[in-house]
Amino acid sequence: MKVLETKDLKKYYGNGDIQVKALDGINLSIEKGEFAAIVGTSGSGKSTLLHMLGGLDYATSGTVTVSGKKIFELSENDLTIFRRRQIGFIFQSYNLVPILNIYENIVLPLELDGRKIDTAFVDDIVHTLGIESKLYNLPTQLSGGQQQRVAIARALVTKPSIILADEPTGNLDSKTTQEVLGLLKLTGKQFSQTIVMITHNEALSQLCDRVIHIEDGKIIDDRSPRNTLPKTLSPEESRQGGASNEK
């Protein structure tokens, strides 16, 4: 079953000779339960595509459908609510609120939406991610890998249809990169999440169910890795997954 679909998705900036085609006719569908990697060099359009998929920006033309809803047809307020309930975001910079403790950061999306906290589900998430002993710490008291685990928990807590991860291991060392990718795969299976991960690291992408290559705003390849068994990244491969300047 498709949970995400784009049709002839375009995002252009400028006009005439200076026009930039960040996305130039993207047709894509993601099935429920897939862990897909979108791979491309800096400036290829992959982060722009992620923003479109998550309703963080509007397209020049084309459609994005999430869980049966054409999100660009929603009002700004309805889109905000839909995004909060149906889409979980994991960013490279974690985006944790520094004055809130870890538990408060995790349940913040539920509180913003006025929803009851499913304590059993929250307990299950934090246990799976191994952060139950950190719930009353502030983000600054945690390592980068631990903060990313909190960001994953926050993305899962609303039980969204899809998780969008933008270079989620870009600021992490090789060992922590392995752990975070393993946790994403584990939580995706355990909590029935569909995950789309943006990366420019080919080695990381091979750990996913599907690899979608984008260059110059177009999909140039879409396939499943030949070897879908977990592989160990070398320190050099993990470093290649470092911070990207593309936004």
Side-chain angles (χ1 to χ4, degrees):
M1 181 179 70
K2 296 176 184 175
V3 296
L4 188 153
E5 185 176 27
T6 72
K7 290 187 177 179
D8 200 24
L9 187 64
K10 298 178 181 179
K11 181 65 174 180
Y12 294 171
Y13 298 97
N15 296 290
D17 294 338
I18 62 171
Q19 187 177 71
V20 175
K21 297 181 178 181
L23 297 177
D24 193 20
I26 298 289
N27 291 292
L28 175 66
S29 65
I30 305 291
E31 298 291 322
K32 181 177 175 60
E34 274 194 302
F35 189 166
I38 298 179
V39 182
T41 57
S42 181
S44 62
K46 62 185 187 297
S47 288
T48 301
L49 177 57
L50 189 81
H51 293 165
M52 297 290 129
L53 299 181
L56 296 175
D57 196 3
Y58 287 94
T60 302
S61 63
T63 62
V64 173
T65 304
V66 179
S67 299
K69 291 273 190 179
K70 292 185 177 181
I71 61 175
F72 297 145
E73 295 180 359
L74 299 175
S75 68
E76 187 172 339
N77 184 61
D78 287 345
L79 176 57
T80 298
I81 295 170
F82 181 81
R83 187 168 54 225
R84 192 161 60 220
R85 294 178 179 175
Q86 297 293 328
I87 303 171
F89 294 94
I90 304 172
F91 298 103
Q92 180 177 307
S93 57
Y94 319 136
N95 286 358
L96 302 180
V97 180
I99 62 172
L100 300 181
N101 67 32
I102 298 312
Y103 180 80
E104 291 167 337
N105 266 282
I106 291 171
V107 301
L108 182 60
L110 295 173
E111 294 186 331
L112 289 173
D113 205 27
R115 295 165 66 184
K116 183 179 178 180
I117 296 170
D118 184 341
T119 55
F121 186 61
V122 174
D123 289 346
D124 196 9
I125 292 171
V126 299
H127 176 73
T128 298
L129 294 170
I131 53 175
E132 55 263 68
S133 66
K134 304 294 183 182
L135 294 182
Y136 300 102
N137 290 78
L138 293 174
T140 54
Q141 297 173 306
L142 273 60
S143 68
Q146 290 170 335
Q147 290 186 61
Q148 192 60 290
R149 290 169 185 242
V150 177
I152 293 170
R154 183 183 57 191
L156 292 170
V157 76
T158 59
K159 303 177 184 178
S161 300
I162 187 166
I163 300 289
L164 301 179
D166 191 357
E167 299 279 3
T169 63
N171 291 325
L172 306 178
D173 60 34
S174 58
K175 181 177 182 296
T176 310
T177 290
Q178 293 277 352
E179 291 175 353
V180 168
L181 262 293
L183 285 168
L184 279 174
K185 289 178 74 71
L186 174 64
T187 56
K189 297 293 185 185
Q190 183 167 335
F191 302 115
S192 301
Q193 304 295 328
T194 302
I195 303 174
V196 179
M197 180 181 73
I198 300 297
T199 185
H200 62 272
N201 186 328
E202 290 282 353
L204 286 182
S205 72
Q206 299 304 304
L207 302 177
C208 300
D209 303 323
R210 180 178 172 192
V211 183
I212 300 157
H213 285 261
I214 182 172
E215 289 296 339
D216 298 322
K218 296 177 179 291
I219 292 175
I220 60 170
D221 191 27
D222 185 349
R223 58 184 170 80
S224 298
R226 291 181 180 177
N227 181 9
T228 57
L229 295 175
K231 60 172 283 189
T232 300
L233 304 183
S234 69
E236 181 179 357
E237 287 174 325
S238 292
R239 285 195 296 273
Q240 290 173 355
S244 168
N245 293 324
E246 182 196 3
K247 294 295 177 190

